[in-house]
Amino acid sequence: MQADIIDGRALARQVLAEVAEGAKMLDRPPGLAVIIAGDDPASHVYVRTKVKRAEELGFLTEKIQLPADCGEARVLEEVAKLNARDEIDGILVQLPLPADINTLRVMAAVDPAKDVDGLHALNAGRLTQGSGGLIPCTPLGCMKIIKSVIPDLTGSHAVVIGSSNIVGKPMAALLLEEHATVTQCHIHTRDTKFVCRGADIIVSAVGKPGLVNADWIKPRAVVIDVGTTRVPKADGSGYTLKGDVDFDEAVKVAGAITPVPGGVGPMTIACLMENTLTAAKMRKEAKENEWPVLS
Ligand code: GUN
């Protein structure tokens, strides 16, 4: 029996509709600022989509474009300016940054209350403690997708392939919070296929097209493909996006599976909008009650 193909675009529309409703409760539109340094074409495409989605929701949006050789001090200066502006609720620094810039130092400079990427150590720490805070958008989107097909994850075996700060680690923490038994595989794992074959849920976030094939998948397992590798088209007319999963074969074995494109990608962007609204609401509440935001 063929797997259910999860429609990430439809789920994203639901999230965006909820965000639009939630934003009506505020006395001003949420504000999202995106910093992009350099001219990586894929990053520019992502940023354009993020800004467009925010504009469609009526958010205040701002894009700060810096040259590839701007240096770390300049990025930190822009972050500091955005931290100080009351009408900006969310700050996203598009990754990857140019190689001479220390990503963790930049993440640490973002006000944790405006950290809509959930990458500041305070938000990452809160996630591992299950104590609130802003959650990275891709894992948050994956979790909404997983819960749309398995509402209760208690006791299920989830395997996360990849251990990045932006997807793999927060994904594992979220699954653990939902009482799944979590195995994290990474570049040094000896037999990822063996581990995956016992999984009820596989989340792959590696960036290696075709890594996960049908014989890695337990029949009826839920397969979430976070991979988005740009592969040149055979006729030279641009690129196609390829996931980590061999979709055409995996779809014959899995119970539910996300396609690429049209799976996790739209949910990541919808969750960025949700995080921006969450940050705006948290900041408003803190201001009204004169309590600190996320400290
Ligand atoms: N580059 C690729 N994905 C992301 C993301 O989720 N956030 C940021 N800031 N950069 C990215």
Side-chain angles (χ1 to χ4, degrees):
M1 197 165 72
Q2 176 166 297
D4 292 331
I5 298 171
I6 300 167
D7 186 348
R9 293 191 181 104
L11 289 172
R13 277 196 294 275
Q14 282 172 26
V15 173
L16 291 169
E18 283 163 23
V19 172
E21 270 311 298
K24 286 185 191 157
M25 311 294 165
L26 297 171
D27 39 24
R28 62 162 177 82
L32 173 66
V34 181
I35 299 177
I36 177 163
D39 35 41
D40 175 55
S43 291
H44 278 271
V45 172
Y46 290 136
V47 166
R48 261 201 302 280
T49 313
K50 289 169 185 177
V51 170
K52 182 165 171 254
R53 211 53 88 242
E55 283 172 354
E56 285 164 1
L57 286 166
F59 288 9
L60 168 75
T61 56
E62 203 159 305
K63 181 167 104 176
I64 293 131
Q65 170 130 26
L66 301 172
D69 62 356
C70 63
E72 188 174 311
R74 178 72 200 285
V75 177
L76 292 174
E77 190 187 310
E78 294 298 334
V79 168
K81 281 197 255 174
L82 294 169
N83 282 344
R85 283 174 54 190
D86 197 42
E87 76 279 21
I88 298 295
D89 300 290
I91 303 170
L92 180 139
V93 182
Q94 184 66 23
L95 303 177
L97 284 165
D100 61 313
I101 298 178
N102 183 317
T103 302
L104 286 177
R105 260 200 308 260
V106 173
M107 295 304 121
V110 174
D111 178 347
K114 299 186 177 188
D115 171 34
V116 285
D117 248 337
L119 293 174
H120 189 286
L122 185 100
N123 284 312
R126 278 188 174 249
L127 175 57
T128 63
Q129 293 185 339
S131 58
L134 292 159
I135 295 166
C137 308
T138 299
L140 183 57
C142 290
M143 187 50 92
K144 287 182 195 288
I145 292 173
I146 294 167
K147 293 199 81 172
S148 76
V149 285
I150 314 179
D152 182 5
L153 303 187
T154 307
S156 56
H157 182 204
V159 173
V160 179
I161 316 175
S163 59
S164 65
N165 287 338
I166 198 161
V167 185
K169 286 178 197 161
M171 188 73 243
L174 278 175
L175 288 160
L176 189 60
E177 270 307 296
E178 292 291 331
H179 314 296
T181 299
V182 184
T183 307
Q184 187 131 37
C185 295
H186 46 77
I187 188 104
H188 300 294
T189 301
R190 294 222 176 89
D191 194 345
T192 304
K193 172 178 164 179
F194 173 80
V195 179
C196 285
R197 283 170 71 105
D200 304 303
I201 301 158
I202 298 173
V203 181
S204 185
V206 176
K208 243 191 190 182
L211 174 77
V212 179
N213 54 55
D215 66 348
W216 288 33
I217 300 168
K218 183 165 92 173
R220 312 303 299 156
V222 173
V223 179
I224 309 294
D225 193 348
V226 183
T228 48
T229 306
R230 277 157 55 104
V231 177
K233 285 186 190 164
D235 63 4
S237 67
Y239 293 86
T240 45
L241 275 192
K242 287 268 175 218
D244 290 349
V245 178
D246 178 356
F247 183 87
D248 293 343
E249 293 304 314
V251 77
K252 297 175 190 162
V253 181
I257 187 166
T258 58
V260 177
V264 173
M267 282 298 275
T268 294
I269 295 187
C271 288
L272 173 63
M273 303 306 131
E274 186 179 276
N275 275 354
T276 306
L277 174 64
T278 302
K281 289 204 296 205
M282 278 188 324
R283 294 182 65 245
K284 178 174 189 277
E285 208 178 27
K287 202 170 173 185
E288 284 167 1
N289 292 289
E290 295 181 5
W291 65 44
V293 202
L294 275 182
S295 54

